[in-house]
Amino acid sequence: MTTEKKYQVLSRREIEGMIAEGRNIFILDQYVIKADHWLQYHPGGYKAILHMVGRDATDEVTVLHSPEARQRMNHYRVGRIEGRWTNFIPPIQGGKFRPLPDDEDLENDDGPCDTASTETSSVLSSRDPSPVFDNAEATVRKRHGVSSASTSSVSSVDPDEDGMSYLDTITKEKTTLDLEKYPSLDFGTQDTIVAKYRDLHQHIKAEGLYQCNYGAYAIEVTRYSILFSLTFLFLHWGWYVSSAVCLGAFWHQLVFSAHDAGHMGITHDFHKDTVIGIIIADFFGGLSLGWWKMNHNVHHVVTNAPEHDPDIEHMPFLAVSHRLLQSLRSTYYDRVMEYDAVAKFTLRIQAYSYYILLLVGRLNLYRLSWDYLIMGRGPQKGPAWWHRWLEIAGQVVFWTWFGYGVMYKSIPNNWDRFVFFMISHMVTMPVHAQICLSHFAMSTSDLGPHESFPQKMLRTTMDIDCPQWLDFFHGGLQFQVIHHLYPRIPRHNLRRTQKLVQDFCNEVGIPYALYGFVDGNKQVVGTLAEVSRQAAILAKCQKVISENDELLHGHDH
């Protein structure tokens, strides 16, 4: 009989000091986890972990990992906490942490407490003061009776050096609207939401909704096989357009199962699902599953954060938030997303160019996949060390059968090859539209570190209402709200889970975003058009400021 190891109780101040020293600490089930040694091994990439530093990551870890993976995390425990944890802002997001002096008295450190003063001070002490939020903190914390200026009003904005105060005004307004629309961020309310969310998780498991429906996958495989066979039949007959359409439809459908495997939603075994996903994505689709995992895991923990979520970072071609007009630095790509001359032109027409860009979206996925594999951005050690080499083998196989066998050997001339290539890739456009549809029209506001995981997912994600017979076409992406709340639920069970999630939303008072396919697309295009208008107004602000500067300098002379 083994006794459970006893861990020292660590105060919030002690943990802050550890993070200040460069330790990657997060909270999991009241235990303090030091993830430093695991960063290089994490199959989902290290940046997803960095976004959890200083936070209670219990819900994110629970829904994104298998029970076996969670069990392995126990090896990285270095202490425990008592009481409720108050989140810091992670260093990767700009959080600032105070080193722990040797002579600091920790005996009188009572740790976090459930008071409004602690909630406010914990935000301000872990990052630099924000000119957007901190100067009007009392305003954005009100939930009722807040008057908002028109976002199209330029005269209400004080002149500044570059017109950024106009964008700051929009940020305040959108944040205020979210604070009014969604439940309060006080600890009591958020704790209630989390408790009910975890109860729902247990209910979902008890209902058997984590059990994969392999009969449904038999139907999927049959559909894939038919499309793939027709591709080569039509190619043999010289019907190149028909062949290209079937190949594009094959890729479109195949990506849904790669998504399932990447979330361990098929066998729930890490290695088995990884191999399935690599065979689908790399060998048959030419895309890197490892790149997708690294990208997608970050997306799941910082959904719709303009400076952190790679799924909405498409500058200079698209911007779904006015904040991207401020040349934000992407923490994922580790570069500044410049709002330069190219962006000023392309964003002006983005509501019109959006679908055109989606037609060639797959080409960008090739680029990102090659960058990930060639540069070795995945884990080099640990359980996923061999993934890169299997994926490189998959890329060789893909470009052998598709690039050489289909494009070069089976099609007689360059024009037909070009047409075949473009049609086969453009047919996959709906999957890119479906991915964008889930988030582009939803909130991109930062409500601070105390917003619960379930509320943030519901605030930044929408579902698409469609008849059941069309589920095969959407491939589970129409249930992105449910998927973001519980990513490992097999997609064929998402429709059954939807009613449970809707009941949960009604109980806790969080709006559930559900649109039809057409209305959802209208919302997305409307958001893109709104950012274009904001960019135009910003340009006018900057022009006025420039003219005023010239007048001032003229008077000086």
Side-chain angles (χ1 to χ4, degrees), residues 299 302-306 309 312 439-445 460-461:
H299 163 68
V302 289
T303 308
N304 264 27
D309 182 0
I312 63 167
H439 302 288
F440 272 24
M442 298 301 290
S443 171
T444 58
S445 298
T460 56
T461 312

Side-chain angles (χ1 to χ4, degrees), residues 89 181 298 328 371 554:
I89 295 176
K181 182 177 180 180
V298 173
L328 297 178
D371 173 78

Side-chain angles (χ1 to χ4, degrees), residues 234-540:
F234 292 150
L235 188 67
H236 176 70
W237 288 348
W239 297 3
Y240 301 130
V241 171
S242 299
S243 176
V245 169
C246 287
L247 182 58
F250 170 73
W251 284 335
H252 171 268
Q253 288 290 296
L254 207 62
V255 75
F256 302 139
S257 290
H259 180 255
D260 299 342
H263 279 294
M264 292 184 293
I266 299 178
T267 69
H268 301 304
D269 179 274
F270 170 69
H271 291 294
K272 291 178 182 177
D273 276 353
T274 295
V275 171
I276 292 172
I278 289 176
I279 290 173
I280 293 172
D282 291 88
F283 285 75
F284 284 101
L287 305 178
S288 167
L289 185 76
W291 159 77
W292 176 84
K293 279 188 176 184
M294 184 176 73
N295 177 290
H296 200 63
N297 285 339
V298 173
H299 163 68
H300 266 272
V301 298
V302 289
T303 308
N304 264 27
E307 55 272 82
H308 308 304
D309 182 0
D311 274 16
I312 63 167
E313 294 179 345
H314 303 294
M315 293 287 282
F317 302 107
L318 294 172
V320 299
S321 170
H322 65 281
R323 295 184 58 216
L324 290 164
L325 307 180
Q326 297 173 297
S327 293
L328 297 178
R329 183 173 188 81
S330 166
T331 60
Y332 181 83
Y333 293 110
D334 197 25
R335 60 175 171 80
V336 175
M337 298 176 287
E338 295 284 358
Y339 180 53
D340 52 17
V342 174
K344 289 176 182 178
F345 172 75
T346 55
L347 298 190
R348 186 169 60 192
I349 60 171
Q350 65 175 356
Y352 307 98
S353 63
Y354 169 63
Y355 292 109
I356 297 173
L357 291 171
L358 294 185
L359 287 171
V360 293
R362 192 175 183 88
L363 303 183
N364 186 48
L365 302 188
Y366 288 144
R367 178 186 68 84
L368 293 168
S369 296
W370 296 337
D371 173 78
Y372 174 85
L373 293 173
I374 293 171
M375 301 304 295
R377 301 191 188 280
Q380 306 294 316
K381 301 178 180 179
W385 71 268
W386 52 274
H387 292 183
R388 180 191 182 198
W389 305 108
L390 182 59
E391 289 202 84
I392 290 175
Q395 292 291 317
V396 172
V397 170
F398 172 78
W399 288 105
T400 298
W401 75 257
F402 173 68
Y404 179 74
V406 174
M407 293 290 297
Y408 181 72
K409 291 292 289 183
S410 302
I411 301 176
N413 59 70
N414 289 334
W415 173 250
D416 286 343
R417 288 171 186 143
F418 173 77
V419 171
F420 184 96
F421 183 89
M422 293 306 298
I423 290 177
S424 63
H425 285 70
M426 289 191 295
V427 167
T428 67
M429 186 271 273
V431 75
H432 303 293
Q434 289 160 328
I435 293 169
C436 296
L437 194 56
S438 307
H439 302 288
F440 272 24
M442 298 301 290
S443 171
T444 58
S445 298
D446 179 4
L447 298 190
H450 306 308
E451 183 179 29
S452 63
F453 174 74
Q455 177 166 314
K456 183 175 182 179
M457 294 303 101
L458 287 159
R459 179 172 61 84
T460 56
T461 312
M462 75 159 70
D463 271 0
I464 299 302
D465 191 20
C466 76
Q468 188 169 352
W469 65 270
L470 260 182
D471 283 354
F472 81 94
F473 178 75
H474 291 283
L477 298 184
Q478 75 275 37
F479 299 119
Q480 281 292 283
V481 169
I482 296 95
H483 172 68
H484 267 257
L485 290 172
Y486 304 105
R488 292 184 300 109
I489 294 179
R491 68 172 149 112
H492 301 102
N493 295 338
L494 292 175
R495 182 173 288 277
R496 290 170 56 196
T497 311
Q498 185 180 47
K499 179 63 169 61
L500 299 177
V501 171
Q502 288 174 327
D503 291 341
F504 161 77
C505 290
N506 292 333
E507 186 176 2
V508 299
I510 300 179
Y512 181 93
L514 180 65
Y515 292 89
F517 186 74
V518 174
D519 289 339
N521 275 277
K522 288 180 180 178
Q523 292 288 321
V524 170
V525 174
T527 296
L528 296 172
E530 180 186 20
V531 175
S532 295
R533 289 192 296 270
Q534 291 162 347
I537 294 171
L538 174 63
K540 291 180 181 178

Side-chain angles (χ1 to χ4, degrees), residues 127-145:
R127 62 164 167 81
D128 292 329
S130 165
V132 178
F133 299 104
D134 300 337
N135 291 344
E137 187 176 345
T139 301
V140 300
R141 289 187 183 281
K142 292 180 181 177
R143 292 182 50 75
H144 300 287

Side-chain angles (χ1 to χ4, degrees), residues 57-72:
T58 300
D59 291 318
E60 290 88 339
V61 169
T62 298
V63 298
L64 284 166
H65 296 81
S66 66
E68 294 76 19
R70 280 199 47 169
Q71 187 66 29
R72 284 195 293 271

